[in-house]
Amino acid sequence: AMRWAAGLSVPGVATNAHPAKVINMSLGGAGSCSSAYQEAVSDVNAAGAVVVAAAGNESVDVGAPANCTGVIAVGALRNVGTKAGYSNLGSAVSISAPGGNCGSGATCAYAILSTTNDGATTPANSTYSNATYDTAAIGTSFAAPMVSGTAALMLSLDSSLTPATVKD
């Protein structure tokens, strides 16, 4: 998927005519970056695409693909600017962004409200995130798109920036 998004050829799939300059991922697993992940990230970076990935929400070391070389791994911050207790951590975290200070199933005193859509499988009604129990509006998966948006703004101002420069 990373390769296709960046406009690289993927066997059996039509080439993406509109390659992404920033790829945001909210997925991951435990352990180190596999050679398959690393090869994909390296190829995508070489094509000029920035890869941003959520660090994870288990309060452990960052897993793959966020810990691959060339990925901007994003941790989550609480409302007061300190690391959210659930956010994964370690030297692989490149940057952190607001992720909310909520825990699963608990009332959230300092939620981050966001626009959303209440459709389960197709677009439905525009609404706002639920400040009490909306786990989609908290976490490193909420923080990563903020970093992706910033990377996209940087590239809109200077399209010659390399993925490594954007990460730095």
Side-chain angles (χ1 to χ4, degrees):
M2 283 186 276
R3 290 176 196 279
W4 181 86
L8 301 175
S9 70
V10 175
V13 180
T15 301
N16 179 359
H18 305 284
K21 295 300 284 175
V22 179
I23 299 170
N24 183 83
M25 297 190 298
S26 176
L27 56 95
S32 59
C33 180
S34 69
S35 60
Y37 265 140
Q38 188 59 64
E39 184 178 335
V41 170
S42 296
D43 290 349
V44 165
N45 283 168
V50 174
V51 179
V52 178
N57 303 317
E58 296 81 31
S59 195
V60 297
D61 283 342
V62 176
N67 63 7
C68 295
T69 300
V71 172
I72 299 174
V74 182
L77 299 174
R78 299 180 318 131
N79 60 299
V80 294
T82 57
K83 184 184 100 44
Y86 55 80
S87 181
N88 284 4
L89 60 151
S91 61
V93 174
S94 306
I95 192 167
S96 292
N101 190 28
C102 310
S104 179
T107 299
C108 184
Y110 300 101
I112 298 172
L113 299 179
S114 177
T115 56
T116 187
N117 188 288
D118 65 6
T121 59
T122 60
N125 300 305
S126 295
T127 185
Y128 294 94
S129 59
N130 179 327
T132 305
Y133 297 107
D134 192 351
T135 58
I138 64 169
T140 61
S141 293
F142 187 87
M146 292 184 213
V147 173
S148 293
T150 302
L153 288 171
M154 292 170 65
L155 289 166
S156 75
L157 290 173
D158 185 351
S159 61
S160 69
L161 293 174
T162 65
T165 303
V166 171
K167 182 176 179 177
D168 287 346

